[in-house]
Amino acid sequence: MSLVSTKAIKTSIIQLIGNTPLLQLVNLEKQLGLQAEIVAKLEYFNPANSIKDRVAASMIEQAEKNGDLTKEHTIVETTSGNTGIGLAAIAAAKGYKLKVYIQDNVSEERTKVIKAYGAEVIPFSEVPELAAVAEEIDGDFVAAINIFKKEVVDKQENVVFLNQLNNQGNPQVHFDTTGPEIWRDTDGQVDIVIASVGTGGTISGIGGFLKEKNPNIQIIAVEPGLNSIASIEEPEIPEITGVHRFSDIEDERVPDNVNRSVIDEVISVETEQANQYARLVARLDGILVGTSSGGILSAAIEVAKRSENEGKRIVVILPDTGLRYLSTDLFN
Ligand code: PMP
């Protein structure tokens, strides 16, 4: 007996990335009496369970194509978790070494997952060069990356720093895949898209694609509220992982991958509010998502309640799984 080969059987996790499902949150709509549709794009269906699998694959394949990345190199990246996890899974499958430098507020399960894929995890606090400049880094995401490059990357040989903050492969993969999937799976019937902003890749790529298809589609960004930003003085403030404030920040502190020209509105959400909606949607519609997803849902509900949005379809991009937050306050 011989089996006929079938495309249904994939040969790399890269083939499992994307084409994530859309789910209308009908119970949430009903419970809150919403007159607009809220449709969630569930990025936890990616093979390493977050939207960053797309970005990780895109950046690695781009570096391979350019000849910048070979098996002699070690990939290095600094990330709040999901990019590290996506890179770790893909690096494992492709046989690359990976070192992930993480900020100290990253949840324990993220660190464990990265290690489980065989990558090395280095907390910022264990890098003396970074500890020495902690005050310069404080709250300044872009400065942190520049200092990381100078103090950590440039002092090592045979490393490839992918740098999701200004790597064009980051927004490009959302322009090429996430955006087109939304357009295809809604038959172009989409009025509003809401996404959070960390590196800006998601919103810039999706927004860029959809605005070309239909400039009337509104793109709304979610950022942390003023009371949800930790600092050296107030490190105990809970933050929304991976999401950064950008609306009232000087340009040089905003990542290059944030394309403000495709963003119609910015909504601020505090962490506690974000957590409440992540809990609510788990109980009502049975989807377990993280804090940033809760923040996006909070913004979506605010937008859905506006009278001018009655009957409209709001697509929300939910970046990751709630399983990545079990050690945090989210589900306590
Ligand atoms: N939510 C989570 C949980 C994330 O990890 C990230 C990325 N760091 C984002 C939102 C923001 O996505 P982007 O970097 O594409 O702006």
Side-chain angles (χ1 to χ4, degrees):
M1 197 186 83
S2 73
L3 292 173
V4 178
S5 91
T6 157
K7 278 211 179 105
I9 298 177
K10 311 296 184 195
T11 52
S12 157
I13 59 159
I14 290 183
Q15 297 160 357
L16 305 177
I17 297 172
N19 287 314
T20 51
L22 294 181
L23 178 73
Q24 186 180 350
L25 304 179
V26 291
N27 298 326
L28 182 82
E29 289 170 7
K30 200 166 158 204
Q31 172 96 6
L32 300 178
L34 303 178
Q35 300 301 314
E37 241 180 55
I38 299 188
V39 175
K41 190 159 175 63
L42 300 175
E43 288 296 310
Y44 65 70
F45 275 79
N46 282 302
N49 312 111
S50 94
I51 195 164
K52 289 297 183 173
D53 294 1
R54 298 176 189 263
V55 175
S58 167
M59 295 193 303
I60 286 182
E61 295 199 325
Q62 191 70 50
E64 287 174 332
K65 221 183 285 166
N66 295 345
D68 294 336
L69 177 61
T70 70
K71 294 283 153 66
E72 313 310 314
H73 291 100
T74 297
I75 300 168
V76 296
E77 189 70 5
T78 173
T79 146
S80 53
N82 283 330
T83 305
I85 292 169
L87 285 172
I90 293 161
K94 281 182 169 275
Y96 291 113
K97 286 189 290 280
L98 169 69
K99 287 203 271 189
V100 179
Y101 293 78
I102 57 166
Q103 289 121 52
D104 297 306
N105 59 353
V106 167
S107 74
E108 183 192 341
E109 46 276 64
R110 286 163 189 263
T111 313
K112 284 191 175 163
V113 171
I114 295 170
K115 287 183 185 161
Y117 285 119
E120 192 183 341
V121 174
I122 304 144
F124 270 27
S125 56
E126 286 176 20
V127 183
E129 291 88 344
L130 295 177
V133 291
E135 266 175 51
E136 272 175 73
I137 291 177
D138 190 26
D140 189 338
F141 186 31
V142 173
I145 303 292
N146 292 337
I147 292 169
F148 173 77
K149 184 173 182 305
K150 185 162 150 256
E151 298 294 338
V152 179
V153 179
D154 293 349
K155 291 181 179 167
Q156 302 181 60
E157 272 174 34
N158 291 325
V159 295
V160 172
F161 177 37
L162 295 170
N163 194 3
Q164 57 170 338
L165 231 63
N166 63 17
N167 187 317
Q168 176 57 25
N170 172 7
Q172 191 65 44
V173 77
H174 295 296
F175 188 95
D176 292 340
T177 70
T178 328
E181 289 168 26
I182 295 168
W183 185 254
R184 179 194 69 198
D185 294 343
T186 61
D187 295 316
Q189 303 301 303
V190 49
D191 301 292
I192 299 167
V193 175
I194 308 185
S196 53
V197 176
T199 64
T202 306
I203 200 142
S204 306
I206 293 176
F209 177 83
L210 291 177
K211 291 265 187 198
E212 271 182 21
K213 286 287 174 190
N214 175 0
N216 296 325
I217 297 175
Q218 258 181 285
I219 305 293
I220 300 181
V222 175
E223 66 172 10
L226 288 170
N227 299 322
S228 302
I229 303 164
S231 64
I232 288 181
E233 281 90 55
E234 297 184 278
E236 66 288 346
I237 291 179
E239 286 193 82
I240 304 178
T241 308
V243 179
H244 298 270
R245 197 169 173 89
F246 71 99
S247 67
D248 48 6
I249 305 291
E250 313 87 87
D251 276 348
E252 48 296 359
R253 292 182 57 182
V254 177
D256 292 343
N257 277 336
V258 178
N259 178 2
R260 294 179 195 254
S261 73
V262 300
I263 300 172
D264 296 290
E265 183 182 345
V266 183
I267 295 180
S268 302
V269 179
E270 301 295 348
T271 305
E272 191 37 49
Q273 176 99 344
N275 283 342
Q276 275 174 25
Y277 283 107
R279 290 179 201 123
L280 185 67
V281 78
R283 287 164 188 234
L284 288 176
D285 286 291
I287 60 165
L288 197 71
V289 292
T291 304
S292 67
S293 299
I296 293 162
L297 287 167
S298 167
I301 290 159
E302 181 182 326
V303 170
K305 285 180 176 166
R306 296 176 185 163
S307 58
E308 74 266 23
N309 290 333
E310 226 171 84
K312 289 191 179 165
R313 176 176 286 156
I314 303 168
V315 173
V316 292
I317 316 299
L318 305 189
D320 70 355
T321 166
L323 293 175
R324 226 151 252 177
Y325 299 78
L326 293 179
S327 71
T328 73
D329 288 340
L330 179 52
F331 297 114
N332 276 341

